[in-house]
Short mmCIF file of all heavy atoms in Angstrom, two decimals:
data_model
loop_
_atom_site.label_atom_id
_atom_site.label_comp_id
_atom_site.label_asym_id
_atom_site.label_seq_id
_atom_site.Cartn_x
_atom_site.Cartn_y
_atom_site.Cartn_z
N GLY A 5 3.04 9.70 2.99
CA GLY A 5 3.89 10.64 2.25
C GLY A 5 3.62 10.59 0.75
O GLY A 5 3.57 11.61 0.06
N SER A 8 0.11 12.16 0.10
CA SER A 8 0.16 13.62 0.21
C SER A 8 0.94 14.22 -0.97
O SER A 8 0.61 15.31 -1.47
CB SER A 8 0.75 14.05 1.54
OG SER A 8 2.10 13.65 1.63
N ILE A 11 -1.53 14.17 -3.94
CA ILE A 11 -2.56 15.19 -3.72
C ILE A 11 -1.97 16.57 -3.97
O ILE A 11 -2.58 17.42 -4.64
CB ILE A 11 -3.17 15.08 -2.30
CG1 ILE A 11 -3.99 13.80 -2.19
CG2 ILE A 11 -4.02 16.29 -1.99
CD1 ILE A 11 -4.51 13.53 -0.79
N VAL A 18 -3.91 21.61 -10.86
CA VAL A 18 -5.18 22.37 -10.95
C VAL A 18 -4.90 23.86 -10.86
O VAL A 18 -5.44 24.66 -11.63
CB VAL A 18 -6.17 21.91 -9.86
CG1 VAL A 18 -7.35 22.86 -9.76
CG2 VAL A 18 -6.65 20.49 -10.13
N MET A 21 -3.29 25.05 -14.10
CA MET A 21 -4.29 25.11 -15.17
C MET A 21 -5.21 26.31 -14.98
O MET A 21 -5.55 27.00 -15.96
CB MET A 21 -5.11 23.81 -15.22
CG MET A 21 -4.36 22.64 -15.78
SD MET A 21 -3.94 22.95 -17.50
CE MET A 21 -2.19 22.72 -17.47
N LEU A 22 -5.65 26.57 -13.76
CA LEU A 22 -6.48 27.75 -13.50
C LEU A 22 -5.71 29.03 -13.83
O LEU A 22 -6.28 29.98 -14.37
CB LEU A 22 -6.95 27.76 -12.04
CG LEU A 22 -8.07 26.77 -11.68
CD1 LEU A 22 -8.33 26.82 -10.17
CD2 LEU A 22 -9.34 27.08 -12.45
N ILE A 24 -3.36 29.32 -16.09
CA ILE A 24 -3.29 29.42 -17.56
C ILE A 24 -4.61 29.90 -18.13
O ILE A 24 -4.64 30.75 -19.03
CB ILE A 24 -2.87 28.05 -18.16
CG1 ILE A 24 -1.40 27.76 -17.82
CG2 ILE A 24 -3.07 28.04 -19.67
CD1 ILE A 24 -0.94 26.38 -18.22
N PHE A 27 -4.92 33.54 -17.30
CA PHE A 27 -4.00 34.31 -18.12
C PHE A 27 -4.51 34.42 -19.56
O PHE A 27 -4.41 35.48 -20.19
CB PHE A 27 -2.61 33.68 -18.11
CG PHE A 27 -1.61 34.42 -18.94
CD1 PHE A 27 -1.10 35.62 -18.51
CD2 PHE A 27 -1.22 33.93 -20.18
CE1 PHE A 27 -0.19 36.33 -19.27
CE2 PHE A 27 -0.32 34.63 -20.97
CZ PHE A 27 0.21 35.83 -20.51
N PHE A 34 -6.86 41.83 -23.10
CA PHE A 34 -5.79 42.76 -23.43
C PHE A 34 -5.72 43.00 -24.94
O PHE A 34 -5.57 44.14 -25.39
CB PHE A 34 -4.45 42.21 -22.91
CG PHE A 34 -3.28 43.08 -23.24
CD1 PHE A 34 -3.06 44.25 -22.55
CD2 PHE A 34 -2.39 42.71 -24.23
CE1 PHE A 34 -1.97 45.06 -22.84
CE2 PHE A 34 -1.30 43.50 -24.53
CZ PHE A 34 -1.09 44.68 -23.84
N GLU A 42 -6.16 51.15 -30.61
CA GLU A 42 -5.60 51.45 -31.93
C GLU A 42 -6.65 52.11 -32.82
O GLU A 42 -6.36 53.08 -33.52
CB GLU A 42 -5.09 50.17 -32.58
CG GLU A 42 -4.40 50.40 -33.91
CD GLU A 42 -3.85 49.12 -34.49
OE1 GLU A 42 -3.73 48.12 -33.77
OE2 GLU A 42 -3.55 49.13 -35.69
N VAL A 49 -6.19 60.55 -35.04
CA VAL A 49 -5.22 61.02 -36.03
C VAL A 49 -5.95 61.68 -37.21
O VAL A 49 -5.54 62.73 -37.70
CB VAL A 49 -4.32 59.85 -36.50
CG1 VAL A 49 -3.57 60.22 -37.77
CG2 VAL A 49 -3.35 59.47 -35.41
N LEU A 52 -7.15 65.03 -36.10
CA LEU A 52 -6.02 65.97 -35.98
C LEU A 52 -5.54 66.46 -37.34
O LEU A 52 -5.17 67.63 -37.50
CB LEU A 52 -4.87 65.33 -35.21
CG LEU A 52 -5.07 65.18 -33.70
CD1 LEU A 52 -3.91 64.41 -33.09
CD2 LEU A 52 -5.23 66.53 -33.04
N THR A 58 -7.29 72.78 -41.33
CA THR A 58 -8.07 73.98 -41.03
C THR A 58 -7.18 75.07 -40.45
O THR A 58 -7.30 76.24 -40.84
CB THR A 58 -9.19 73.63 -40.03
OG1 THR A 58 -9.99 72.59 -40.58
CG2 THR A 58 -10.05 74.84 -39.73
N MET A 62 -6.39 78.78 -41.87
CA MET A 62 -6.56 79.97 -41.05
C MET A 62 -5.28 80.79 -40.99
O MET A 62 -5.32 82.03 -41.03
CB MET A 62 -7.02 79.57 -39.64
CG MET A 62 -8.43 79.06 -39.58
SD MET A 62 -8.91 78.41 -37.97
CE MET A 62 -8.73 79.84 -36.93
N GLN A 66 -4.80 84.52 -42.17
CA GLN A 66 -4.30 85.52 -41.23
C GLN A 66 -3.11 86.27 -41.81
O GLN A 66 -3.00 87.49 -41.64
CB GLN A 66 -3.91 84.81 -39.93
CG GLN A 66 -4.08 85.65 -38.70
CD GLN A 66 -3.89 84.82 -37.45
OE1 GLN A 66 -3.19 83.81 -37.46
NE2 GLN A 66 -4.49 85.25 -36.37
N ILE A 90 -1.32 109.62 -57.14
CA ILE A 90 -2.56 109.02 -57.62
C ILE A 90 -2.35 108.58 -59.05
O ILE A 90 -2.01 109.37 -59.92
CB ILE A 90 -3.73 110.01 -57.52
CG1 ILE A 90 -3.95 110.39 -56.05
CG2 ILE A 90 -4.98 109.42 -58.15
CD1 ILE A 90 -5.01 111.44 -55.83
N ILE A 91 -2.55 107.31 -59.27
CA ILE A 91 -2.42 106.76 -60.63
C ILE A 91 -3.80 106.27 -61.03
O ILE A 91 -4.38 105.40 -60.38
CB ILE A 91 -1.41 105.60 -60.67
CG1 ILE A 91 -0.04 106.10 -60.21
CG2 ILE A 91 -1.35 104.99 -62.06
CD1 ILE A 91 0.98 104.99 -60.06
N GLU A 100 -18.89 93.61 -76.25
CA GLU A 100 -20.14 92.96 -76.63
C GLU A 100 -19.84 91.94 -77.72
O GLU A 100 -19.12 92.23 -78.68
CB GLU A 100 -21.14 93.99 -77.14
CG GLU A 100 -21.59 94.96 -76.06
CD GLU A 100 -22.64 95.93 -76.58
OE1 GLU A 100 -23.26 95.63 -77.61
OE2 GLU A 100 -22.82 96.97 -75.95
N PRO A 103 -22.78 89.31 -83.34
CA PRO A 103 -23.72 88.24 -83.71
C PRO A 103 -23.09 87.34 -84.78
O PRO A 103 -22.41 87.80 -85.68
CB PRO A 103 -24.94 88.98 -84.24
CG PRO A 103 -24.46 90.35 -84.58
CD PRO A 103 -23.27 90.63 -83.71
N ALA A 109 -24.28 74.70 -95.15
CA ALA A 109 -23.14 74.02 -95.75
C ALA A 109 -23.45 73.58 -97.18
O ALA A 109 -22.58 73.53 -98.03
CB ALA A 109 -22.75 72.80 -94.92
N ILE A 110 -24.71 73.29 -97.47
CA ILE A 110 -25.12 72.85 -98.81
C ILE A 110 -26.06 73.90 -99.39
O ILE A 110 -26.97 74.37 -98.71
CB ILE A 110 -25.83 71.49 -98.74
CG1 ILE A 110 -24.92 70.44 -98.12
CG2 ILE A 110 -26.30 71.05 -100.11
CD1 ILE A 110 -25.60 69.12 -97.88
N ASN A 113 -31.24 73.77 -103.73
CA ASN A 113 -31.94 74.24 -104.94
C ASN A 113 -33.43 74.29 -104.64
O ASN A 113 -34.00 73.37 -104.07
CB ASN A 113 -31.71 73.29 -106.11
CG ASN A 113 -30.30 73.42 -106.66
OD1 ASN A 113 -29.68 74.45 -106.49
ND2 ASN A 113 -29.82 72.37 -107.30
N LYS A 117 -34.12 69.74 -107.68
CA LYS A 117 -33.15 68.85 -108.28
C LYS A 117 -31.92 68.79 -107.39
O LYS A 117 -31.54 69.78 -106.78
CB LYS A 117 -32.72 69.35 -109.67
CG LYS A 117 -33.81 69.29 -110.68
CD LYS A 117 -33.26 69.76 -112.01
CE LYS A 117 -34.32 69.73 -113.07
NZ LYS A 117 -33.82 70.20 -114.37
#
Side-chain angles (χ1 to χ4, degrees):
S8 65
I11 290 174
V18 168
M21 286 296 125
L22 285 175
I24 290 173
F27 180 74
F34 178 75
E42 184 177 344
V49 165
L52 286 175
T58 303
M62 289 173 61
Q66 211 171 26
I90 298 176
I91 300 173
E100 294 183 19
I110 301 174
N113 287 336
K117 293 182 180 179

